[in-house]
Amino acid sequence: MSSLERRHTHPDPRIERTHEVVKREALEELAARGYGGFTIESVARRSGVAKSTIYRHWTSKLALVADALETLNVQPPGDAAHVPDAPLHRVERLLRHLSGAFADTAITGCTPALIEAAEHDPDVRAFHHTYAATRRQSLVEAIADGVADGTFPATVDRDTAAIALAGAIVYCRVMTSTPFRPDDVPKLIETVLGVTAG
Amino acid sequence: MSSLERRHTHPDPRIERTHEVVKREALEELAARGYGGFTIESVARRSGVAKSTIYRHWTSKLALVADALETLNVQPPGDAAHVPDAPLHRVERLLRHLSGAFADTAITGCTPALIEAAEHDPDVRAFHHTYAATRRQSLVEAIADGVADGTFPATVDRDTAAIALAGAIVYCRVMTSTPFRPDDVPKLIETVLGVTAG
């Protein structure tokens, strides 16, 4: 293995740590100032990492936000191919992850900022909607498998159920002062899908 | 009846029209510029109504937004006392109203702006959460009545079902590019509550 290959396989841990700091500070800056007020300059100030270093790795603020969300908010696998587990457990795991993500200080504040920015910036809108759709897909598949094997009632429409389940959690974050508690996921599943989880 | 009483009972239609214009322009300005950028001055410019006239009726921009939402987005009654109707119909009517409101150009843009502003402004947060809770209450009551009379399954938790149903519609508005269609309300009810509506 050449040194170049080794570097790709085992990235320099100091660089990794710096990237991690920049990504977390970027999400917190986004939450604090909104997408319009957030700049690579302000992330540089906040993180103590040189602007040039940040630009070397991320070409734009949207690229930085997208990478931060992708790598700091890792969704557990929900597809049957990777998780040979019951559909009910897969649904529960994905919903616990979603509600847990809103308890992470760096991640929770991004959603309101992205919702607002998506109204005015077509690139943010495309990113925000694609990101949500991609993550929702695991949930849709787990629900579809559960309907197919009889775990969930035949009256359940998979796409509608996915937006109701994810929607309940997002709703609590953006429309109420009480975040959805991961421990309430079984009650949500029982209400929406009519089966006992947990 | 004195002239004062008559004025209160039958408000001057010209004043009513002016107020209506100010309220609609206020919501559109809020949607276009966000809560931070929105001012009584900008609403005055946009509506062609004098700032002093606006201030005479509304003491702050939040009072104007609150009044606009309250009077331009009138929720159909959902409580059994006012609508002696089946719980299923009441749930359907409330959800059709909510999804229909997001098709109103003046109202649909407020939600993202209020969600974002609620993160930073305690008064907006209190208003936004109270407004959502008050409106959700009609839905909670209709669901509770439906569980009590056996229309909906006993596994349905009324508060959880209300946030899943309203959440699905809000989710589509703020997390996807496809608004929830009022005609899909029966499918939503069938999925979440397991009964056929429509």
Side-chain angles (χ1 to χ4, degrees), chain A residues 41 61 87 91 152 168-169 181 183 185 188-190:
Chain A
E41 282 75 4
K61 63 182 192 172
V91 168
F152 307 134
I169 295 169
R181 294 168 51 245
D183 285 353
V185 163
L188 176 62
I189 291 176
E190 186 164 14

Side-chain angles (χ1 to χ4, degrees), chain A residues 31-32 112 115-116 119-120 128-129 132 136 155 157 160-161 163 167-168 171-177 187-188 191-192, chain B residues 31-32 112 115-116 119-120 128-129 132 136 155 157 160-161 163 167-168 171-177 187-188 191-192:
Chain A
I115 285 172
E116 202 277 335
E119 296 293 304
H120 307 292
H128 177 57
H129 293 167
R136 199 166 62 251
T155 49
D157 175 83
T160 307
I163 60 165
Y171 182 96
C172 286
R173 172 64 186 85
V174 301
M175 304 296 287
T176 80
S177 48
K187 188 164 71 178
L188 176 62
T191 290
V192 175
Chain B
I115 285 171
E116 203 276 335
E119 296 293 304
H120 307 290
H128 176 58
H129 292 166
R136 198 166 63 250
T155 48
D157 175 83
T160 307
I163 59 165
Y171 182 96
C172 286
R173 172 63 187 85
V174 300
M175 303 297 287
T176 80
S177 48
K187 187 163 72 177
L188 176 61
T191 290
V192 174

Side-chain angles (χ1 to χ4, degrees), chain B:
Chain B
M1 188 187 278
S2 74
S3 71
L4 186 68
E5 281 168 332
R6 191 175 309 116
R7 208 163 63 228
H8 277 159
T9 320
H10 302 287
D12 184 330
R14 286 163 309 173
I15 295 180
E16 285 294 290
R17 266 199 305 278
T18 301
H19 285 175
E20 173 98 11
V21 167
V22 170
K23 288 186 286 190
R24 288 198 80 84
E25 294 293 340
L27 295 186
E28 300 210 350
E29 183 72 0
L30 171 60
R33 302 169 63 110
Y35 191 80
F38 154 92
T39 61
I40 295 286
E41 283 74 7
S42 62
V43 175
R45 261 198 313 277
R46 191 178 178 119
S47 62
V49 173
K51 211 169 71 171
S52 57
T53 306
I54 299 177
Y55 272 119
R56 200 173 305 133
H57 202 74
W58 298 281
T59 52
S60 69
K61 63 181 192 173
L62 186 54
L64 172 52
V65 169
D67 187 32
L69 279 174
E70 202 55 62
T71 56
L72 299 183
N73 184 22
V74 179
Q75 191 182 35
D79 55 323
H82 288 91
V83 194
D85 197 0
L88 179 57
H89 293 162
R90 286 156 52 205
V91 169
E92 184 178 355
R93 192 181 309 117
L94 291 165
L95 295 176
R96 281 185 180 271
H97 170 78
L98 178 60
S99 52
F102 286 137
D104 181 303
T105 49
I107 292 159
T108 191
C110 292
T111 302
L114 290 172
I115 285 171
E116 203 276 335
E119 296 293 304
H120 307 290
D121 183 319
D123 293 336
V124 175
R125 181 158 57 242
F127 163 72
H128 176 58
H129 292 166
T130 304
Y131 179 80
T134 304
R135 301 214 154 204
R136 198 166 63 250
Q137 192 52 34
S138 311
L139 187 57
V140 169
E141 284 167 19
I143 294 166
D145 288 349
V147 172
D149 77 3
T151 303
F152 307 133
T155 48
V156 166
D157 175 83
R158 61 188 183 172
D159 291 296
T160 307
I163 59 165
L165 291 165
I169 295 168
V170 172
Y171 182 96
C172 286
R173 172 63 187 85
V174 300
M175 303 297 287
T176 80
S177 48
T178 315
F180 194 94
R181 294 168 50 244
D183 285 352
D184 284 337
V185 163
K187 187 163 72 177
L188 176 61
I189 292 176
E190 185 165 16
T191 290
V192 174
L193 298 173
V195 294
T196 305

Side-chain angles (χ1 to χ4, degrees), chain A residues 106-149:
Chain A
I107 291 159
T108 191
C110 293
T111 302
L114 290 172
I115 285 172
E116 202 277 335
E119 296 293 304
H120 307 292
D121 183 320
D123 292 335
V124 174
R125 181 158 57 242
F127 163 71
H128 177 57
H129 293 167
T130 303
Y131 179 81
T134 305
R135 301 212 154 207
R136 199 166 62 251
Q137 192 51 35
S138 310
L139 188 57
V140 169
E141 284 168 19
I143 294 166
D145 288 349
V147 173
D149 77 2

